[in-house]
Amino acid sequence: MKKFKSKVDWIPSFWNFLADLNRDDLIAELIQNDLDQDASLTQISFEEDKLICYGNGRSVDKEGWQRLSFIQGAGDQVSAKSGKIGVKNHGLKTAFTLGDRLFLMSDGKSIEQTLFSHGNECEPHPGASIEPAVDAQAPVNGCRIVIPYRITTLRPQKGEKLSWQPPTDEELEELFRNACLNIPEQFVGIVSPGRVTRYEITMRHWQLGEARFHFSCTRGMEIKNKRMERYRRKCVVSGKTDLLPDTIHEQAIRRLLPLRGQLKERCPDFYRVEKNFTAEVSWVTNSAGKPLTKVGRYRYPIGYPLESQHACTGHGVSFNVPIVSNSKRHAPAANEETNEHLRDVCNDLLTDALAYYLIPCRGANGLVPIIPNTQIKDAEDTVSELLAELVNRKKLPVLNWNKAAQTTTKSKNLKKSLRQISGRKLPKEEKRYFFVIPRATWEKSSTSPVLSILCPRSEMQLDPCVAVELVQILVDAVCKKDWKNITTFDETDVVQRITSEGNHWFGAIPNRRKEFGEPVLVKHYLDLIHLALDEAEDFGKDHEDQLLETLLVPDSHSQSLSLDSLYSSNLLLSGIPGLDIPPILHPDIVKHPLFRRKKWRRQKYTMRTFLESDSLQVANKQIRTQFWQWLRINSNLVPSRDRTKLVDFEIWPDSCGQLTELVNLCAPPSRKVRSILASCIRQPHRELKHSRLVKFGTRGRM
């Protein structure tokens, strides 16, 4: 049998290990050690010549001292931490990025770890005290770590030619400031009901001042029948230093799941509940609980740094589970089976949180936390999977036609008109989809308010308030034909519903005459056509002539007629029953900008056109009387050049109310003359005297 012996030339390996450490991780590693000791307070002070960290947790026990007597590693010759977050005896070594030695003090004793175990005059050689020594300066309760700053360049002689410079004042200030800015988001996950409910971190700098971070959480509240518990947490920031971050609020949801496989051995006590463990998803909110857009990260429960893409979830929701970290503790370990399982667990929990809490409570705003982070690779694919599951469950926020139209409309009068249309009995169409997305092909950022109103009223619509990034993912999925129970509704669908029997996705409008007799709806059809001609490529070439031939629009009586048969006019003569005039465009749409286009211009039916026709001459007395009443009120609509043509029509009332031609009326300026000639002349009616149509006492036909 072959014999083997384990040999490691560990000194060069240690320097390589040290070179991979990041000074920015020091604060997180110090606080993590306090968390493992069940502390509720960590104080970190940047003194002029050293860094001091104190935590009020349990004192170091016998096994802890044994681990600290090893300069690196644990788990073979000395037992690793059991049920704790940090188990490798690696994190504390980040202290050597600042200094050549560190002192750990607890329970009236201390131990030293140093890079000069053979003496300061000798070449560097890492080592640690064999056993703790009595130290009068060591705290009785809790633990204190002291790291004197390096004062000379460290240049190991063995292994690769590496060196470490003494930290400058500027580097220490930057370390302090960055830590203060990152602490709220990085450590907010350390508090949760039944675990650590309150925690305080105090950061001090001998020149820059002090910052305090108070973490707390509410009690858990069960979401009935969904095996989920919700709670809120926050980090209140205070202090006397510049560039303090804002107070942070979070909404969290967690669930108990059975411990299986390797998780039974690896799961820290922070997550363990008897034979189960907790999985949590959380997102940042404002103080009122409204979700905000942030970068979600993995937590263990301390949040990983954001430098690595693998540390981010791809959206604004953070996952807090017993993740296995990579060697640098900057992200979850890659190709780790346990981590893959935990990601699936968190995605399932997030889907349930969206379906049964966020969307029911917040509607479209409930989807804000899953807006994809465009800087993260495959983020859209991750979010697409979440949306696909919500579509399958029919849990995305959708609205019926009336609510969607009201949401996209700002005008109160228009909202009232749309409500009236919604309340009428209109022909029903077959409902084909869970919901549709009304969006024009040229719009790349949102749903279309115009198309929302023109959409078939039988179909539910995606809530117009859904974030544009999520709408784009849904539209892309529809284009790829990934989902069958949703579809888009664009300008081509509208045209084919107007001009033919519809298409594969949507049927023709059931009652075109009734639909296009509604001026409010027709105005939106015209809006869409006008936009499409301006924005959509080849729309005019493909559809304009067809629309001109088939489009129906309302006349002044709200009767739908072919566009070719209508005149445009601002006159209100069409309101006089019995007056024979051609159909005129409804006054609500006559000024639509579409009719300024060359092909769409309508012939005007002017007062001159009317007067040159026989309509008024053949009208009976009642109609002529109504015309006079209209003329008296709307005299400003009659151009002065056309007024003289009215002289020969029997529309002018005399003092007895009888209609005659204007030349038959006489109005002497003298009252005495009028009384003498009263039986011989026809005097004008007082309405005529007070009108602006004629002038008295002057020459001229009028």
Side-chain angles (χ1 to χ4, degrees):
M1 182 177 180
K2 293 182 179 180
K3 293 184 179 180
F4 299 92
K5 185 176 181 180
S6 298
K7 293 183 177 181
V8 178
D9 192 1
W10 70 274
I11 297 297
S13 298
F14 181 86
W15 300 126
N16 290 333
F17 159 74
L18 201 61
D20 284 337
L21 297 179
N22 190 330
R23 182 181 294 167
D24 293 336
D25 298 335
L26 176 60
I27 303 302
E29 297 294 351
L30 293 173
I31 296 172
Q32 178 185 287
N33 285 337
D34 288 340
L35 282 171
D36 281 340
Q37 295 299 108
D38 299 328
S40 61
L41 167 70
T42 296
Q43 297 174 334
I44 299 175
S45 179
F46 287 75
E47 305 294 337
E48 190 172 2
D49 60 344
K50 59 184 174 292
L51 184 143
I52 301 174
C53 174
Y54 169 75
N56 68 347
R58 292 180 288 102
S59 301
V60 178
D61 58 16
K62 182 179 179 180
E63 290 184 349
W65 290 120
Q66 290 177 343
R67 279 189 296 274
L68 291 170
S69 68
F70 283 71
I71 191 64
Q72 183 184 6
D76 183 16
Q77 299 178 45
V78 64
S79 61
K81 292 181 182 179
S82 176
K84 303 303 178 183
I85 302 169
V87 298
K88 303 172 185 176
N89 197 17
H90 285 179
L92 194 57
K93 303 307 171 288
T94 52
F96 291 131
T97 61
L98 287 184
D100 296 330
R101 55 180 50 83
L102 66 90
F103 300 90
L104 194 143
M105 309 172 181
S106 180
D107 194 23
K109 295 176 282 189
S110 68
I111 203 167
E112 179 183 355
Q113 294 188 351
T114 178
L115 301 180
F116 289 88
S117 61
H118 293 167
N120 293 338
E121 303 302 324
C122 301
E123 67 178 75
H125 190 281
S129 303
I130 297 176
E131 58 183 24
V134 176
D135 190 337
Q137 296 182 351
V140 176
N141 299 314
C143 182
R144 179 185 298 122
I145 296 174
V146 179
I147 308 169
Y149 301 141
R150 182 177 293 113
I151 56 176
T152 60
T153 302
L154 173 66
R155 290 191 177 91
Q157 301 302 309
K158 297 177 181 178
E160 297 183 31
K161 299 301 181 181
L162 302 171
S163 64
W164 286 264
Q165 300 293 328
T168 64
D169 290 342
E170 291 77 13
E171 289 173 337
L172 293 172
E173 290 178 6
E174 183 180 6
L175 180 62
F176 173 81
R177 288 193 174 99
N178 288 343
C180 290
L181 290 173
N182 291 329
I183 279 175
E185 285 193 43
Q186 190 171 13
F187 292 94
V188 71
I190 65 177
V191 292
S192 60
R195 300 288 188 274
V196 180
T197 56
R198 292 185 177 274
Y199 205 95
E200 180 180 343
I201 299 174
T202 302
M203 299 287 295
R204 298 191 183 96
H205 189 280
W206 68 287
Q207 284 183 321
L208 301 180
E210 179 181 273
R212 292 181 295 276
F213 306 89
H214 300 270
F215 298 90
S216 62
C217 67
T218 63
R219 65 183 181 88
M221 299 181 65
E222 182 183 359
I223 299 177
K224 291 184 178 180
N225 303 323
K226 302 304 176 186
R227 299 187 302 109
M228 295 188 297
E229 184 181 39
R230 62 182 176 89
Y231 46 93
R232 299 193 68 189
R233 55 163 70 107
K234 64 179 178 180
C235 172
V236 179
V237 183
S238 60
K240 297 180 179 179
T241 185
D242 58 345
L243 299 177
L244 281 177
D246 296 329
T247 293
I248 188 172
H249 298 264
E250 268 199 358
Q251 177 71 58
I253 289 182
R254 71 182 180 186
R255 169 182 287 163
L256 273 179
L257 295 162
L259 278 169
R260 295 172 182 170
Q262 294 181 340
L263 270 179
K264 290 182 179 179
E265 305 297 329
R266 293 179 172 179
C267 186
D269 293 340
F270 182 89
Y271 297 99
R272 191 183 293 267
V273 181
E274 297 179 352
K275 295 182 179 181
N276 303 304
F277 75 98
T278 58
E280 177 199 275
V281 296
S282 59
W283 53 91
V284 178
T285 71
N286 63 11
S287 58
K290 181 181 178 180
L292 303 177
T293 304
K294 288 287 184 178
V295 178
R297 64 174 88 184
Y298 288 98
R299 296 171 176 167
Y300 60 96
I302 298 171
Y304 290 109
L306 295 178
E307 289 80 8
S308 170
Q309 285 199 353
H310 299 292
C312 302
T313 57
H315 40 64
V317 181
S318 294
F319 292 167
N320 195 346
V321 281
I323 288 282
V324 179
S325 302
N326 61 16
S327 59
K328 293 185 179 181
R329 303 176 69 89
H330 282 186
N335 303 319
E336 172 63 45
E337 183 180 353
T338 302
N339 288 350
E340 294 296 331
H341 169 66
L342 292 173
R343 287 189 187 96
D344 293 340
V345 163
C346 289
N347 281 321
D348 290 342
L349 177 57
L350 175 56
T351 304
D352 286 345
L354 290 165
Y356 302 114
Y357 176 71
L358 265 171
I359 295 174
C361 294
R362 297 285 175 178
N365 285 331
L367 293 172
V368 166
I370 64 168
I371 293 175
N373 183 351
T374 55
Q375 298 179 349
I376 305 300
K377 183 181 178 182
D378 299 329
E380 290 190 0
D381 292 339
T382 300
V383 175
S384 180
E385 292 175 3
L386 291 170
L387 293 174
E389 183 60 30
L390 291 172
V391 169
N392 291 335
R393 297 189 189 188
K394 296 188 176 181
K395 292 297 183 180
L396 278 179
V398 296
L399 303 176
N400 61 27
W401 180 84
N402 184 40
K403 290 184 178 179
Q406 298 292 323
T407 302
T408 57
T409 302
K410 295 181 179 179
S411 168
K412 291 183 178 180
N413 291 333
L414 181 55
K415 286 184 177 183
K416 182 179 179 181
S417 299
L418 293 173
R419 280 196 298 269
Q420 292 174 349
I421 293 173
S422 178
R424 297 171 192 162
K425 290 184 178 180
L426 295 170
K428 292 185 178 180
E429 299 182 58
E430 178 187 359
K431 187 178 186 302
R432 301 184 180 187
Y433 305 99
F434 166 38
F435 67 85
V436 299
I437 306 170
R439 194 169 87 155
T441 56
W442 64 84
E443 292 178 324
K444 303 299 182 184
S445 60
S446 65
T447 56
S448 169
V450 176
L451 283 168
S452 181
I453 293 174
L454 302 182
C455 187
R457 284 179 279 278
S458 60
E459 298 290 351
M460 302 296 286
Q461 299 181 32
L462 182 67
D463 192 321
C465 297
V466 171
V468 294
E469 298 88 346
L470 302 179
V471 174
Q472 185 61 52
I473 292 175
L474 290 168
V475 171
D476 290 343
V478 171
C479 293
K480 295 175 184 177
K481 300 181 180 179
D482 290 346
W483 300 332
K484 305 298 182 183
N485 55 347
I486 68 173
T487 191
T488 56
F489 181 76
D490 59 29
E491 70 279 2
T492 302
D493 296 315
V494 174
V495 171
Q496 291 174 346
R497 277 168 58 81
I498 293 174
T499 61
S500 64
E501 296 181 357
N503 54 30
H504 175 72
W505 297 275
F506 298 96
I509 297 171
N511 191 332
R512 295 177 69 243
R513 291 286 178 184
K514 195 166 186 178
E515 177 90 0
F516 291 99
E518 297 285 353
V520 173
L521 293 179
V522 173
K523 182 180 181 299
H524 285 82
Y525 280 107
L526 299 178
D527 287 343
L528 178 70
I529 296 169
H530 186 56
L531 281 170
L533 290 171
D534 284 339
E535 304 291 343
E537 296 182 4
D538 297 329
F539 181 86
K541 180 180 178 181
D542 295 340
H543 302 297
E544 189 171 18
D545 291 339
Q546 190 179 12
L547 284 167
L548 285 167
E549 293 175 4
T550 58
L551 184 65
L552 300 179
V553 290
D555 67 1
S556 54
H557 299 287
S558 295
Q559 299 296 317
S560 57
L561 298 172
S562 173
L563 182 62
D564 289 338
S565 65
L566 292 167
Y567 286 84
S568 68
S569 174
N570 293 329
L571 294 178
L572 301 179
L573 289 172
S574 56
I576 302 175
L579 193 60
D580 186 18
I581 59 174
I584 296 173
L585 282 171
H586 195 282
D588 290 350
I589 65 170
V590 70
K591 293 184 178 181
H592 195 281
L594 178 63
F595 296 127
R596 299 189 195 126
R597 291 178 174 271
K598 184 177 180 179
K599 285 187 177 183
W600 292 82
R601 288 175 188 163
R602 300 295 92 196
Q603 184 180 352
K604 288 186 177 181
Y605 187 75
T606 63
M607 177 59 73
R608 175 168 295 185
T609 307
F610 168 70
L611 296 177
E612 289 176 353
S613 69
D614 295 332
S615 299
L616 196 58
Q617 291 177 344
V618 299
N620 58 32
K621 180 181 177 181
Q622 182 180 0
I623 294 174
R624 285 184 283 115
T625 301
Q626 289 178 326
F627 176 79
W628 159 250
Q629 296 299 331
W630 176 90
L631 183 64
R632 182 173 61 87
I633 298 172
N634 299 283
S635 59
N636 60 310
L637 297 179
V638 183
S640 57
R641 66 179 182 274
D642 294 331
R643 292 187 182 184
T644 55
K645 295 182 181 297
L646 294 170
V647 171
D648 299 327
F649 291 97
E650 294 184 358
I651 58 171
W652 308 98
D654 62 12
S655 57
C656 298
Q658 298 297 317
L659 301 179
T660 185
E661 297 177 8
L662 188 62
V663 294
N664 295 331
L665 300 177
C666 182
S670 170
R671 179 181 298 178
K672 184 175 182 181
V673 172
R674 288 200 301 271
S675 62
I676 295 172
L677 300 177
S679 60
C680 304
I681 62 174
R682 298 180 68 176
Q683 297 188 47
H685 196 278
R686 56 187 178 85
E687 290 181 348
L688 179 57
K689 292 181 179 180
H690 295 156
S691 72
R692 299 179 181 179
L693 289 166
V694 296
K695 294 181 180 180
F696 291 85
T698 61
R699 294 181 179 272
R701 294 193 67 192
M702 294 294 286

